[in-house]
Amino acid sequence: MRKVRTMWKQTITVPAPYDFAHALERLALDPLLAVDLERQRVTVPLHLDDVKVPVVVESIGAKDAPRFIVSGPHPERQQEIIERISHLFQWRTPLASVHGYFQATELAPLFARYEGLPLVLDFDLYFCLVKCLIHQQLHLKVGYRLTERFVKTFGEERDGVWFYPRPEEIAARSYEDLRALQLSGRKAEYIVNVSRLIAEGKLRLDEIEQMEDGEVMERLTAVRGIGPWTVQNFLLFGLGRPNVFPPADIGLQRAVEKWFGLPKRPTTKEMAALGERWKPYASYAALYLWRSIE
């Protein structure tokens, strides 16, 4: 006889502005994610130790009065789950301050267009790092396709949502197992080797989470296969750092070229100068510029 799970739900009020509709549109670009645009909800695959927990986040408010219902199993871990969800969706980040800052910049019209767009983090820190490795030097759609193939090969579907594989599972794989997914030989090696470092406790993501941005860059680029672009995206979408602007990101360069009407794509040096100009919220400049070309 199948065991009936005890479910819980909790209503959360978030500081305005917070535009969940725009956030869901970005998330819906990823074919792995269980996004329901009509019902304004997403199911989040949370790993709590060895427990897989599907958590539903549904908007019941509006941009200027944001409210959410969070629901899921394991009531004994409800508070822990709420903390994780609040962090992933950056519900405690005062976006009004961010928007106020950009009102005096050349990005003011962009921030007016996407007012309240939050920086939503990848749902799993380990998998964020793996995804950044997969996406290196690839078009976004190709990166999504390979990432989907990776998860559907090594992960697990439960309650209509895909749970990402754990580092221990990928550490036990051969390079050939990953190359069979049409990953390059080098990327297969990088992903398996990084997973082994994490599984063996030689690379501790919980420790990296506590480091300053520069320390994270130094620690991760010491690992073969991890370059500055990968770390910058990990800082942005894994750790939610507010002041990251990846100067070598092709998509971001294209967005800057289009927004400013430039005759050609800006150089890495010119991009870095823009990132300096938009301190301490350069991550939001990057996010909104990406959004403008999606």
Side-chain angles (χ1 to χ4, degrees):
M1 199 171 164
R2 189 174 180 183
K3 187 178 178 181
V4 178
R5 291 188 303 185
T6 303
M7 304 292 287
W8 56 268
K9 65 171 57 178
Q10 183 171 333
T11 302
I12 305 289
T13 300
V14 176
Y18 190 99
D19 196 331
F20 195 58
H22 270 315
L24 282 187
E25 285 171 7
R26 287 204 88 235
L27 293 177
L29 297 173
D30 188 337
L32 272 173
L33 300 185
V35 175
D36 186 332
L37 292 174
E38 186 176 342
R39 298 178 66 181
Q40 287 291 285
R41 62 189 286 180
V42 58
T43 304
V44 179
L46 280 191
H47 286 278
L48 299 180
D49 306 320
D50 294 327
V51 182
K52 295 180 174 71
V53 185
V55 182
V56 176
V57 178
E58 181 175 356
S59 173
I60 56 169
K63 180 177 74 174
D64 297 324
R67 294 176 73 227
F68 297 91
I69 293 176
V70 182
S71 59
H74 298 283
E76 75 283 0
R77 305 189 77 165
Q78 179 176 344
Q79 193 53 44
E80 179 185 359
I81 292 168
I82 289 293
E83 287 296 319
R84 284 281 296 278
I85 293 295
S86 295
H87 173 64
L88 293 175
F89 288 90
Q90 298 285 280
W91 282 342
R92 296 192 182 98
T93 299
L95 290 176
S97 300
V98 176
H99 284 265
Y101 170 84
F102 280 100
Q103 292 312 301
T105 73
E106 56 276 86
L107 296 183
L110 181 62
F111 275 76
R113 183 190 305 172
Y114 298 113
E115 183 186 19
L117 174 65
L119 177 62
V120 177
L121 308 190
D122 283 320
F123 298 150
D124 181 78
L125 204 53
Y126 159 69
F127 190 68
C128 176
L129 186 56
V130 169
K131 188 167 80 170
C132 289
L133 286 168
I134 292 174
H135 279 247
Q136 279 181 172
Q137 298 177 317
L138 291 178
H139 187 279
L140 188 63
K141 288 183 179 178
V142 177
Y144 276 141
R145 187 162 63 245
L146 288 174
T147 306
E148 181 183 20
R149 194 176 296 159
F150 178 88
V151 172
K152 290 186 175 179
T153 302
F154 302 122
E156 178 189 359
E157 186 181 17
R158 187 180 294 185
D159 297 307
V161 62
W162 280 94
F163 283 84
Y164 315 119
R166 310 318 298 142
E168 296 78 13
E169 294 162 339
I170 303 304
R173 295 287 177 175
S174 68
Y175 301 147
E176 288 71 29
D177 288 338
L178 271 69
R179 288 184 64 185
L181 306 179
Q182 296 185 314
L183 287 166
S184 70
R186 282 189 176 181
K187 282 191 181 180
E189 289 180 26
Y190 297 159
I191 292 166
V192 171
N193 291 346
V194 165
S195 300
R196 288 173 180 169
L197 287 174
I198 294 171
E200 293 165 6
K202 295 175 182 176
L203 183 63
R204 295 278 304 274
L205 296 183
D206 57 338
E207 290 180 357
I208 286 174
E209 203 168 4
Q210 308 306 317
M211 295 178 180
E212 298 293 327
D213 293 2
E215 294 176 293
V216 176
M217 179 67 72
E218 186 177 347
R219 178 67 184 93
L220 288 181
T221 52
V223 177
R224 185 170 177 270
I226 299 180
W229 180 90
T230 298
V231 180
Q232 287 157 353
N233 278 272
F234 180 75
L235 285 166
L236 254 166
F237 296 109
L239 302 180
R241 301 297 169 84
N243 193 44
V244 182
F245 196 80
D249 187 273
I250 301 299
L252 192 54
Q253 290 176 355
R254 281 180 47 234
V256 167
E257 178 187 5
K258 181 180 178 183
W259 182 257
F260 288 99
L262 303 177
K264 61 179 180 178
R265 195 176 294 167
T267 65
T268 301
K269 186 176 180 181
E270 289 168 335
M271 293 287 287
L274 286 175
E276 286 295 314
R277 189 190 304 180
W278 294 322
K279 279 184 173 180
Y281 297 123
S283 295
Y284 289 91
L287 175 67
Y288 283 56
L289 283 162
W290 274 316
R291 186 73 186 99
S292 71
I293 61 168
E294 288 172 346

